[in-house]
């Protein structure tokens, strides 16, 4: 698990994707790779925002 500043967390979900996602009138079933990518992107964005706000390091615990 990656713990970010401001108690943001991106929990690990090894081998599992979220349930069905509805986009408009379509139902999509995300893959584990898709889920992992967006978890990574979310964590990276949080670090970027912490840097922009000039918060003290470290921005993650790993």
């Amino acid at each position: 698990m990656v713990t970010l500043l401001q108690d943001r967390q991106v929990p690990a979900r090894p081998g599992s994707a979220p349930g069905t996602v509805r986009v408009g009138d379509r139902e999509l079933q995300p893959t584990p790779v898709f889920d992992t990518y967006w978890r990574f992107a979310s964590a990276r964005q949080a670090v970027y925002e912490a840097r922009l706000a000039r918060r003290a390091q470290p921005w993650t615990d790993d």
Side-chain angles (χ1 to χ4, degrees):
M1 177 185 315
V2 176
T3 304
L4 304 173
L5 288 179
Q6 298 178 340
D7 296 325
R8 288 185 180 180
Q9 294 184 352
V10 181
R13 293 180 70 161
S16 66
T20 302
V21 176
R22 182 175 271 302
V23 178
D25 62 346
R26 298 176 63 188
E27 286 190 8
L28 306 172
Q29 185 70 37
T31 65
V33 172
F34 181 88
D35 187 52
T36 300
Y37 170 77
W38 285 107
R39 289 177 179 284
F40 165 79
S42 174
R44 182 66 188 95
Q45 185 66 26
V47 169
Y48 174 74
E49 291 171 2
R51 291 180 66 199
L52 282 180
R54 298 182 185 267
R55 293 194 195 109
Q57 291 185 29
W59 298 304
T60 68
D61 63 356
D62 65 354

